[in-house]
Amino acid sequence: MRYLTFALAKGRLAKTTMAMFEQLGITCEAMKDKDTRKLIFVNEEKKLKFFLAKASDVPTYVEYGAADIGVVGEDTILEEGRSLYEVMDLGFGRCRMCVCGPVSAREKLQHGELIRVASKYPHIAKDYFYNKKFQTVEIIKLNGSVELAPIVGLSEVIVDIVETGSTLRANGLEVLEEICDLSARMVVNQVSLKMEQERIRRLIQDLRALKAAKFKSTIIDAGNVSGKEK
Ligand code: PRP
């Protein structure tokens, strides 16, 4: 039997995924070592391999078949636009993709003014403004701490993930428009789904049953899809 390889978005998504797998009897003790710098972990008994990757790289590993299966936030899947099968909403890491900014920006959004939009998600932002709102905007790509942009005058608004809303509140910003809901998803390589149909189908079935039995994500605070330890 060949190894089935999983690419997990490192951080809380990976931890919650492993907690879920553990309830199905799939364990990987070496992964629990907080001090480990290892990136690949093996379960010899079940012929499974798990590796931890930067969230934005997970769809790439899966598309090219370096991983059969990936677990990553829907934000990343939408942003990366890779060719893969999205097979399951895992039900954790729930949050929203929103347009946020100071209250004063609300009017500019409503009047369709040419504004600047800063985001870690330029494709999602572009799709929203150009294809859904039909509003021409200038999109500026940032790599983190996006809430800074409207505060220091880089942009009028941001497109970003909102989970508890505490980052927005702490910085005097608000949700101005909601783009979509997000959660952690399981994605599968297109060839793997055919070649490993039986094993993957069984895993999805087991995960669905676990979800139905209300997997308690309180074991680990799953956080939002960005998966960062807070
Ligand atoms: C994410 C996101 C927001 C924050 C939202 O940031 O970009 O900044 O979490 O969560 P909240 O609504 O619960 O405050 P992340 O922690 O990934 O850090 P980043 O700024 O480096 O992207």
Side-chain angles (χ1 to χ4, degrees), residues 14-125:
K15 282 187 187 164
T16 309
T17 304
M18 292 313 290
M20 243 179 140
F21 283 178
E22 201 158 323
Q23 295 197 15
L24 298 179
I26 300 169
T27 53
C28 203
E29 288 307 313
M31 231 168 157
K32 292 180 185 166
D33 176 1
K34 282 195 190 100
D35 300 323
T36 187
R37 301 291 296 161
K38 274 180 79 165
L39 295 171
I40 300 192
F41 304 89
V42 184
N43 178 324
E44 284 297 349
E45 184 205 336
K46 294 196 159 43
K47 287 279 177 249
L48 301 174
K49 269 186 195 164
F50 300 93
F51 67 80
L52 304 174
K54 195 175 157 72
S56 53
D57 293 335
V58 168
T60 312
Y61 284 111
V62 176
E63 183 186 88
Y64 285 93
D68 300 293
I69 296 174
V71 174
V72 69
E74 198 185 358
D75 55 325
T76 308
I77 298 168
L78 293 172
E79 183 61 26
E80 294 299 312
R82 295 275 172 187
S83 297
L84 27 83
Y85 291 128
E86 195 182 310
V87 294
M88 193 180 164
D89 177 352
L90 291 165
F92 58 83
R94 293 201 178 281
C95 54
R96 298 172 293 158
M97 184 65 74
C98 300
V99 180
C100 312
V103 187
S104 58
R106 196 181 294 275
E107 217 166 296
K108 291 175 184 157
L109 281 173
Q110 280 163 358
H111 296 156
E113 285 183 34
L114 177 58
I115 53 169
R116 282 181 175 171
V117 180
S119 186
K120 280 193 291 188
Y121 305 95
H123 292 114
I124 294 175

Side-chain angles (χ1 to χ4, degrees), residues 2-3 13 40 42 52 55 71 90 98-99 121 133 139 160 170 193 206-207:
R2 74 182 269 274
Y3 285 99
L13 285 201
I40 300 192
V42 184
L52 304 174
V71 174
L90 291 165
C98 300
V99 180
Y121 305 95
K133 288 200 71 184
I139 291 165
D160 201 18
L193 195 61
D206 290 349
L207 286 168

Side-chain angles (χ1 to χ4, degrees), residues 120 143-147 160-167 224 226 228 230:
K120 280 193 291 188
N143 297 301
S145 301
V146 182
E147 289 83 359
D160 201 18
I161 288 170
V162 179
E163 186 200 357
T164 61
S166 55
T167 312
N224 64 41
S226 78
K228 258 246 193 85
K230 284 193 182 171

